[in-house]
Amino acid sequence: MIKSFIYLDEDKMYSLSSQIFEGITEYVLNENSTNNHESETQKGPVGSGKVLADVIISSSKATEKKFFHDYSFTLFENHLMAQGRVLDLTSSELTLDDLKATINDFSFIKVKAKSTFNDINKITELFSEFNTIGEALAHMGVFEQLNELNANIAAFKQENPGKNKKSPLESEVKRLSNFKALAQESSLYHSQKFLDDLSLLTKYGFSDQFEVTQSSGEALFTTCLTREFLREKEDLLVRKYSRKTEKEVVVFGMISQAFSENEVELAEEDEDLPNMKAAILNLVEHLTNMENSISGKQPQEVVIDPIAVYFEV
C-alpha cells in the first residue's frame, strides 16, 4: 500500500529505529565531478629563462542527497507490525471494554478512521474576530435586499420630486442596515468580554495545538501534531481534505494516555506545608486540577504521541 504522508516525525522515528536495527542509513550522497585543465607555455628570449604559463582550470561538481524518510518509516512500521508490538485498529473495531483490557499490552498503536483537524490557532482567531465576522455575514445576508430597497426608494423620489414625503421603505432599509442587531438575532454577535475570556481559556488550555481526532467504536483518539513536521501548511490540509475528512486517515504512534484516572491530591486548606517545595508541589496539583477542567482527557479518550500520519492510496 502506497502512503501519502501528511506528517512524519523523522527524529522520533530514527531514534526508535536505530535501537531496533542497530543503526540506520538516513541518506546517501551521489557525487559527480568533472575537471578541465588547460595549460599554455611560452618561452621568452634566449637566455632569459622566462616561462609564461597560463593555466585555465574549470571544475563542476553536483551532489545529490537522497533521503529515505518515507521508506525508513515503512521498514520501521512493518517490523513492529511483524513483531506484534502494535495495537492495530485499522481493520476492526474493539468495544470500549475490550480496548481497556488490551491497550496496556502495547506501546504502539495504529488507527484508521475519518478524522477532524482541530487547529487551536484558528479557533482563537475566530473568537477574536467573531463579532466582526458575524456583522459581515449579516451584511451579506441582506445585501441583495438592501440594493433592491434602495432602488425602489430612488424610483419613489423620482416620481415625487420636490416633496419631503418619505418612502415607507426607508425604515426597512434602516433596520436592515443595522448589521450588529441582525447578527445578534442570529447569535452571531456576543459580548466582547465573553469572547476575550473564551480566547484566553483556549490559549491557556490548548496553547497552539494542531490535533487530529478520530472515533473508532466507542473510543475517541486524540493526536497532537508538531506543526514543523507537517508536510503541508495547516490551511492547505484543510482545503484539500476538509476539516472533517471524507477519506480515512491512518495515525501511527505511541500510546501516551489511555483510560487511567488523573487523580489530584490537594492539600487541606488549614494544612501547614513544611517548606517552599511542598507549596510548589501543591500548586502543581491545583494547576493540574484547573487544566483538567479546561482541557482534560475524556473518559473514553486515548491520547497518541504521533510518529506518522498518512493516507493510504
Side-chain angles (χ1 to χ4, degrees), residues 149-208:
L149 288 171
N150 284 323
N152 290 336
I153 291 173
F156 176 83
K157 290 182 177 179
Q158 285 182 349
E159 294 172 359
N160 300 273
K163 295 181 180 180
N164 293 327
K165 188 177 181 181
K166 287 187 176 182
S167 168
L169 300 178
E170 290 185 23
S171 60
E172 181 65 6
V173 168
K174 184 177 181 181
R175 185 185 74 82
L176 293 179
S177 297
N178 189 345
F179 306 130
K180 177 179 176 180
L182 293 176
Q184 287 175 325
E185 291 174 7
S186 302
S187 299
L188 293 174
Y189 196 101
H190 294 286
S191 161
Q192 190 58 49
K193 174 60 176 172
F194 171 74
L195 294 171
D196 290 343
D197 289 344
L198 272 179
S199 180
L200 175 64
L201 292 174
T202 304
K203 288 179 181 178
Y204 179 81
F206 301 93
S207 299
D208 66 341

Side-chain angles (χ1 to χ4, degrees), residues 6 117 119 122 210 232-247 311:
I6 62 174
F117 295 124
D119 188 348
K122 209 68 179 175
F210 187 82
E232 295 178 302
K233 293 290 186 180
E234 300 90 329
D235 289 346
L236 186 57
L237 283 175
V238 172
R239 291 298 302 164
K240 282 185 175 182
Y241 302 110
S242 178
R243 193 167 298 282
K244 296 177 73 69
T245 66
E246 295 183 7
K247 298 179 65 176
F311 291 97

Side-chain angles (χ1 to χ4, degrees), residues 10-269:
E10 293 100 351
D11 294 339
K12 191 175 297 176
M13 178 188 67
Y14 285 130
S15 174
L16 296 168
S17 295
S18 63
Q19 299 171 62
I20 294 173
F21 300 119
E22 298 181 358
I24 54 173
T25 300
E26 180 182 357
Y27 59 83
V28 295
L29 288 176
N30 288 340
E31 185 174 292
N32 297 315
S33 62
T34 59
N35 286 286
N36 294 321
H37 183 263
E38 298 178 7
S39 175
E40 180 181 340
T41 302
Q42 177 182 350
K43 292 184 179 180
V46 178
S48 68
K50 180 181 179 182
V51 177
L52 174 65
D54 292 328
V55 178
I56 303 174
I57 300 175
S58 63
S59 176
S60 64
K61 180 187 292 186
T63 302
E64 183 181 9
K65 192 174 187 179
K66 294 183 177 180
F67 288 89
F68 292 110
H69 299 323
D70 297 2
Y71 182 61
S72 293
F73 173 77
T74 299
L75 295 177
F76 171 70
E77 181 186 34
N78 289 344
H79 179 83
L80 291 175
M81 295 289 288
Q83 294 290 317
R85 301 177 64 178
V86 181
L87 178 57
D88 187 0
L89 300 178
T90 58
S91 56
S92 62
E93 294 180 356
L94 296 178
T95 66
L96 194 59
D97 289 336
D98 289 339
L99 186 60
K100 289 180 178 180
T102 59
I103 197 166
N104 290 327
D105 297 332
F106 299 90
S107 297
F108 298 91
I109 189 170
K110 184 177 180 181
V111 181
K112 181 179 180 181
K114 293 182 179 180
S115 304
T116 300
F117 295 124
N118 181 12
D119 188 348
I120 300 302
N121 287 349
K122 209 68 179 175
I123 292 175
T124 54
E125 180 184 351
L126 173 63
F127 287 151
S128 64
E129 301 292 338
F130 187 87
N131 287 340
T132 303
I133 294 172
E135 288 188 65
L137 290 173
H139 185 188
M140 294 301 100
V142 298
F143 180 74
E144 292 294 338
Q145 191 177 354
L146 277 173
N147 283 345
E148 184 178 344
L149 288 171
N150 284 323
N152 290 336
I153 291 173
F156 176 83
K157 290 182 177 179
Q158 285 182 349
E159 294 172 359
N160 300 273
K163 295 181 180 180
N164 293 327
K165 188 177 181 181
K166 287 187 176 182
S167 168
L169 300 178
E170 290 185 23
S171 60
E172 181 65 6
V173 168
K174 184 177 181 181
R175 185 185 74 82
L176 293 179
S177 297
N178 189 345
F179 306 130
K180 177 179 176 180
L182 293 176
Q184 287 175 325
E185 291 174 7
S186 302
S187 299
L188 293 174
Y189 196 101
H190 294 286
S191 161
Q192 190 58 49
K193 174 60 176 172
F194 171 74
L195 294 171
D196 290 343
D197 289 344
L198 272 179
S199 180
L200 175 64
L201 292 174
T202 304
K203 288 179 181 178
Y204 179 81
F206 301 93
S207 299
D208 66 341
Q209 293 177 14
F210 187 82
E211 297 180 342
V212 174
T213 57
Q214 299 167 293
S215 294
S216 179
E218 302 170 79
L220 174 68
F221 298 91
T222 301
T223 305
C224 299
L225 305 182
T226 303
R227 293 176 187 267
E228 64 185 273
F229 295 129
L230 288 168
R231 291 289 177 88
E232 295 178 302
K233 293 290 186 180
E234 300 90 329
D235 289 346
L236 186 57
L237 283 175
V238 172
R239 291 298 302 164
K240 282 185 175 182
Y241 302 110
S242 178
R243 193 167 298 282
K244 296 177 73 69
T245 66
E246 295 183 7
K247 298 179 65 176
E248 292 183 317
V249 179
V250 179
V251 172
F252 186 95
M254 295 178 288
I255 302 165
S256 57
Q257 298 181 60
F259 306 124
S260 58
E261 295 292 334
N262 194 356
E263 297 182 359
V264 178
E265 299 180 0
L266 301 175
E268 299 293 334
E269 291 186 9

